[in-house]
Amino acid sequence: MMKGLKKWRLFSLLAALTVFLAGCGQEELSTLLPAGQVGKDQFNLLLLSSAIMLLVIIVVVAIYVIALVRFRRSKVGEDHIPEQVEGSHTLELVWTIVPILLILLLAVPTVYYTYKLGDVTAMEAVDADGNPENLVVDVTAKLFWWEFEYPDLGIVTAQELVVPTDEKVYFNLIASDVKHSFWIPAVGGKLDTNVENVNKFYLTFDKESKNLKDGVFYGKCAELCGDSHALMDFKVKTLPRAEFEQWVTSMKATEKAPEAEGATDVATANQGEEIFNKSCITCHATSAVGESGAVGPNLASFGDRNRVAGFLEHNEKNLKEWIKDPQKLKPGNKMPAFGQQLSNEEIDALSDYLMGLSVEK
């Protein structure tokens, strides 16, 4: 009985390891498949440190095995006394110099990359006409969602970060409530967002996200921040520079025509817009033109999102459930429930309007 139980324990352990390892190798979220130069630099440091640790382990295990085999009792007898090496200058030098060399081998590139990846002097660079030379994104972390403002472009969005490929993108990171941490595993990071100060860094995005499984890279909050910390996700869409500029133009156009062009029923969408203007407009905006600081996420491109509330599959069913009772799905968030205030018909109309808010269709 006990023998069979031990086999099941081993099987359970292997099954659990399989589940954890299943997350490895996915391009949209794996640090082991870096999709940007920052991620590649960090991955190289990981390989270097792992190689050094493996070398130390191999040497220690080799010495242990040699001692175990050569000086076993059955071979040398009960009364054998090994050669005494106490006070050996040679050994003292070996186990002093070798660790120092290993530390230097790891420390020098680590310090180099720390300063390299922390260099944001080009963030304020401008050309001869006074135009910014680099894209800057202001990231504000909130309970439990993300806001992305493009101050030089005059637009703001939420939950989905859109950036051009093959160039440095600079970030100003801050939190509006508690400490969070900005992390895109496949691209690089992570860096804390604090309430008191702004942290700055840059990332590069070498791969277009449209070819990925879900069409996006996945971002996470990597700092325990409250009830729904595990659900505080965001997505990253990477586009060639020309397509990114088209996206910016479409976002700016929402200032004049924040219409739900992708709605399935125009009459229902119009009703939904009326309901939105009565119930939601105080916290949410449907125009991407403006600045950060809204109570709730900007919804100008809600119909283009990959997820509802950052983690639910993007469909009307989940959106309706979210509108009815957001606390049930994402505890601790600041959105009120509308299940008692709006009828099912009104929620249907509102969800149809929101799903039609698109700049990509």
Side-chain angles (χ1 to χ4, degrees), residues 34-233:
Q37 189 57 50
V38 174
K40 292 175 183 176
D41 291 342
Q42 294 173 339
F43 183 64
N44 289 335
L45 283 177
L46 174 64
L47 291 179
L48 175 62
S49 59
S50 297
I52 292 174
M53 289 186 287
L54 182 61
L55 174 64
V56 172
I57 291 172
I58 290 173
V59 171
V60 171
V61 171
I63 293 173
Y64 175 77
V65 171
I66 291 171
L68 193 66
V69 172
R70 290 187 59 185
F71 300 102
R72 62 188 186 276
R73 183 178 299 177
S74 61
K75 182 177 181 179
V76 299
E78 294 281 349
D79 301 324
H80 175 76
I81 299 177
E83 179 184 354
Q84 302 302 295
V85 294
E86 182 180 357
S88 170
H89 290 254
T90 301
L91 288 177
E92 292 284 353
L93 287 173
V94 168
W95 61 54
T96 299
I97 294 176
V98 170
I100 291 176
L101 293 176
L102 292 177
I103 291 174
L104 288 175
L105 185 61
L106 181 60
V108 171
T110 299
V111 172
Y112 168 77
Y113 281 116
T114 297
Y115 280 93
K116 175 188 174 184
L117 301 180
D119 183 9
V120 293
T121 53
M123 180 182 285
E124 307 296 335
V126 294
D127 59 21
D129 298 324
N131 299 314
E133 292 184 349
N134 300 290
L135 178 65
V136 178
V137 182
D138 293 343
V139 179
T140 304
K142 305 186 180 185
L143 294 170
F144 294 96
W145 59 281
W146 299 84
E147 187 171 62
F148 306 108
E149 181 185 3
Y150 302 74
D152 299 322
L153 302 176
I155 59 176
V156 62
T157 185
Q159 294 298 84
E160 286 196 351
L161 172 67
V162 181
V163 293
T165 56
D166 300 321
E167 61 183 77
K168 288 183 178 180
V169 179
Y170 291 85
F171 296 91
N172 292 310
L173 306 177
I174 197 167
S176 67
D177 32 54
V178 299
K179 182 188 289 289
H180 301 277
S181 190
F182 180 85
W183 186 32
I184 309 172
V187 181
K190 60 185 174 60
L191 194 63
D192 284 350
T193 63
N194 302 316
V195 178
E196 304 86 2
N197 63 286
V198 177
N199 282 334
K200 302 180 179 183
F201 81 138
Y202 71 87
L203 294 172
T204 59
F205 302 81
D206 297 343
K207 187 180 183 66
E208 290 184 42
S209 60
K210 66 180 180 181
N211 298 319
L212 301 176
K213 176 184 175 182
D214 296 320
V216 293
F217 288 102
Y218 281 77
K220 296 284 294 183
C221 174
E223 181 76 27
L224 183 60
C225 57
D227 298 353
S228 292
H229 158 70
L231 306 178
M232 190 172 169
D233 296 1

Side-chain angles (χ1 to χ4, degrees), residues 231-300:
L231 306 178
M232 190 172 169
D233 296 1
F234 64 95
K235 311 300 180 291
V236 185
K237 291 182 179 178
T238 58
L239 307 171
R241 168 49 79 164
E243 292 183 23
F244 174 75
E245 291 177 354
Q246 292 176 5
W247 176 80
V248 172
T249 301
S250 298
M251 291 289 279
K252 289 182 177 180
T254 60
E255 181 181 24
K256 299 178 181 178
E259 299 176 359
E261 297 180 357
T264 56
D265 185 280
V266 176
T268 302
N270 289 336
Q271 181 189 1
E273 184 176 7
E274 293 178 6
I275 296 169
F276 181 90
N277 290 333
K278 292 179 182 178
S279 305
C280 313
I281 197 68
T282 55
C283 296
H284 300 278
T286 55
S287 169
V289 178
E291 299 178 349
S292 63
V295 176
N298 186 289
L299 303 177

